[in-house]
Amino acid sequence: MPNGDINVCCHNNSYVLGRYPQNNIKEVWEGDKLKKLRKSISKADFSLGCQVCLDAFESGDFESVNPLLYEDFDQKKDQPVILDFKIATECNLECVMCSEYSSSAIRAKNDIAFKDLYDENFINQIKNFIPEIKAARFSGGEPFLNKIYYKLWDIIIKRNNDCEIYIQTNGTILNEKIKNLLEQGKFFINVSIDAVNPELYSKIRVNGDFNKLKSNIEFFSEYSQRNNRKLGITACAMKDNLAELPKIVEFANKYNAEIWFSEVYFPFWNALWTQKSEFIRKNLLELEKYNFEIHNSIAAKNHKIYQNLINRINNTLRITENIEKNTKYFIKTEKLLLKLKKIYITHCFNDLQDFIKIEKAINRLGDVFIYDFTLEFSKFYDKKYIFQQLNFYSEDKLFRNFEILTKNFRY
């Protein structure tokens, strides 16, 4: 992770195995915390940071469960078979659902400094794993703007040319250097797209140009088909693009790309679970009756993924209806602050310095009723992870986050 956290996958951000540069990566791999997690998962216990995947399993949406990313790889306890890098924050976009933590463009606009932890020592530690891995995944920010990633790709190509290299890109960066790189290794491209309407796309992915994106996808599609490799398209499902989701599936089908949906839970103002049930219900009716033309196996698979998403949105609708029917879920801001502070000290940190920003944002709301999001949200995410996400935002953005949870705002 950008802050040095070493985790088991990109979805479990709360069960931290160690931290670079304080901990050696090989020692972390052989450490007791990873052994404990393996034992927990073997017993179908998802409590160590894997709550986000449990919901998909319980809903029966097996085509969309995150562990499918690792399904095709053999297990080796002495050596990782996959390395998942999410250390980059260099980015040319300022997406509305992103934060200062993940985008250098947002930081630059707000004059926020960020220390890059990753250096030659990190590369030297990774080198020892590269000859045996089957795949490496690169995400975070815009990977094609990160210098460390280029060094790692060069090492993988030279030392393990059969290794599959997966890149999660926003699709806006493409030049001759990248094109030459792609011809040297076994690259698989996944492109993040949240709208196919040019105006909406630019509104969500600020600084992005949909026409340029489309041109680049045409190249990535041709590259993938020529090399008999899968092309992927990933979309964030949120308030801003709810009506656009079936059109994104159609777009993916057009370019023979496999679709994947990630639901936005943070920021609160972009998330579906914070919206009025009437808004979700109205859009859901349109989403459910959308007819797709199934012309090949990729389109058929994408339709299943889409149906899984519809199931999850229906679950979200039930959550919002339950919230609206039960006033007991709303408490005064003063009471919520006391509860959050207790959770923060118990489960997170003894140092309250970072909590001060959260406290200031909530106090700006005044003496009002606010949804006690700790009741529902902690079922899906570890408490420490929630606070980490909140601390990624400035005080003003936190205020907007909490404002949408107030009773007056919701109704």
Side-chain angles (χ1 to χ4, degrees):
M1 300 295 287
N3 66 350
D5 283 357
I6 304 172
N7 305 321
V8 289
C9 80
C10 61
H11 301 288
N12 185 337
N13 295 310
S14 56
Y15 187 73
V16 180
L17 304 176
R19 175 169 285 191
Y20 180 84
Q22 292 90 330
N23 301 114
N24 179 280
I25 297 172
K26 183 173 176 57
E27 291 175 355
V28 171
W29 170 256
E30 297 171 345
D32 292 336
K33 292 199 74 173
L34 185 53
K35 293 175 184 176
K36 182 179 179 181
L37 180 62
R38 288 197 187 107
K39 186 176 181 180
S40 175
I41 293 296
S42 70
K43 297 179 180 179
D45 178 359
F46 291 77
S47 62
L48 297 181
C50 296
Q51 295 94 327
V52 66
C53 291
L54 178 61
D55 182 49
F57 279 111
E58 290 183 335
S59 300
D61 299 328
F62 300 119
E63 292 87 356
S64 300
V65 292
N66 294 320
L68 283 175
L69 292 171
Y70 314 104
E71 194 76 4
D72 296 332
F73 299 95
D74 295 329
Q75 182 181 5
K76 289 178 66 177
K77 291 185 179 180
D78 60 328
Q79 172 79 32
V81 293
I82 304 174
L83 293 177
D84 198 333
F85 299 91
K86 197 177 181 180
I87 65 176
T89 65
E90 295 86 352
C91 193
N92 57 323
L93 302 185
E94 302 172 49
C95 301
V96 295
M97 61 286 190
C98 197
S99 69
E100 292 84 346
Y101 174 78
S102 301
S103 170
S104 59
I106 297 177
R107 289 199 300 273
K109 194 171 183 178
N110 293 276
D111 196 26
I112 297 172
F114 189 87
K115 184 179 180 181
D116 190 355
L117 301 172
Y118 296 96
D119 50 18
E120 290 298 324
N121 179 52
F122 173 76
I123 293 174
N124 289 332
Q125 289 189 37
I126 293 297
K127 279 182 182 178
N128 298 321
F129 295 104
I130 285 177
E132 300 297 325
I133 61 173
K134 301 299 181 183
R137 301 180 185 276
F138 296 84
S139 62
E142 170 46 50
F144 285 129
L145 294 176
N146 183 269
K147 294 179 181 179
I148 291 289
Y149 281 174
Y150 279 96
K151 292 182 179 181
L152 290 171
W153 294 331
D154 184 56
I155 295 170
I156 293 172
I157 290 168
K158 290 178 179 177
R159 296 193 175 194
N160 186 355
N161 199 244
D162 287 332
C163 176
E164 297 177 352
I165 304 172
Y166 293 84
I167 299 179
Q168 186 70 48
T169 173
N170 62 34
T172 65
I173 305 295
L174 184 62
N175 51 41
E176 289 304 313
K177 177 183 178 180
I178 294 171
K179 290 179 180 179
N180 291 333
L181 172 72
L182 295 180
E183 296 301 333
Q184 297 175 47
K186 207 171 182 179
F187 286 90
F188 293 76
I189 304 298
N190 289 279
V191 185
S192 299
I193 302 175
D194 302 307
V196 294
N197 175 289
E199 185 178 345
L200 180 59
Y201 172 83
S202 297
K203 185 178 179 181
I204 294 174
R205 293 193 166 260
V206 179
N207 304 332
D209 182 332
F210 182 77
N211 291 325
K212 184 178 181 180
L213 169 75
K214 186 178 178 182
S215 175
N216 292 346
I217 286 179
E218 288 172 355
F219 171 84
F220 290 135
S221 178
E222 185 278 327
Y223 166 83
S224 300
Q225 292 184 60
R226 173 164 47 86
N227 290 282
N228 196 28
R229 295 172 193 162
K230 293 179 180 179
L231 173 67
I233 285 180
T234 302
C236 292
M238 53 186 173
K239 171 201 71 176
D240 311 69
N241 67 346
L242 191 55
E244 189 87 348
L245 298 179
K247 297 174 186 176
I248 297 174
V249 176
E250 294 280 24
F251 186 83
N253 291 344
K254 178 181 177 180
Y255 291 101
N256 287 310
E258 294 188 357
I259 194 72
W260 190 267
F261 290 105
S262 297
E263 291 154 273
V264 171
Y265 291 97
F266 298 100
F268 294 157
W269 67 76
N270 297 112
L272 287 176
W273 71 273
T274 63
Q275 306 306 311
K276 295 179 180 179
S277 61
E278 180 184 356
F279 168 80
I280 300 175
R281 192 180 302 108
K282 180 181 177 181
N283 280 276
L284 196 53
L285 287 172
E286 296 299 317
L287 296 176
E288 288 177 330
K289 67 182 183 182
Y290 195 94
N291 290 317
F292 293 95
E293 182 181 341
I294 311 298
H295 55 275
N296 60 23
S297 59
I298 291 178
K301 182 176 181 180
N302 287 346
H303 185 252
K304 288 183 179 179
I305 299 296
Y306 178 79
Q307 290 301 321
N308 283 175
L309 176 65
I310 295 301
N311 292 340
R312 299 201 299 276
I313 295 175
N314 267 299
N315 288 339
T316 301
L317 175 60
R318 286 190 283 272
I319 291 172
T320 59
E321 288 174 337
N322 189 39
I323 292 172
E324 291 170 359
K325 290 175 182 177
N326 293 278
T327 56
K328 65 180 181 180
Y329 292 138
F330 289 85
I331 58 178
K332 284 295 187 78
T333 47
E334 182 181 6
K335 189 174 181 180
L336 177 63
L337 267 176
L338 290 173
K339 189 172 183 179
L340 287 172
K341 186 177 287 189
K342 183 178 180 180
I343 295 172
Y344 188 88
I345 295 172
T346 304
H347 296 277
C348 303
F349 317 97
N350 291 321
D351 184 6
L352 285 172
Q353 186 62 39
D354 287 335
F355 187 81
I356 292 174
K357 183 170 60 174
I358 297 173
E359 188 173 36
K360 286 181 177 179
I362 293 179
N363 279 331
R364 283 171 59 182
L365 297 171
D367 184 26
V368 297
F369 282 96
I370 186 170
Y371 173 63
D372 182 3
F373 62 92
T374 64
L375 297 174
E376 294 283 350
F377 220 59
S378 58
K379 294 179 182 178
F380 305 105
Y381 282 106
D382 177 88
K383 294 181 178 66
K384 185 175 181 179
Y385 175 73
I386 294 174
F387 282 109
Q388 286 175 339
Q389 291 294 313
L390 292 175
N391 278 319
F392 290 162
Y393 299 101
S394 64
E395 183 186 323
D396 286 341
K397 287 187 177 179
L398 279 174
F399 174 75
R400 284 184 61 199
N401 261 297
F402 296 129
E403 186 180 39
I404 200 170
L405 301 182
T406 61
K407 190 172 184 181
N408 290 337
F409 192 93
R410 290 181 65 91
Y411 301 101

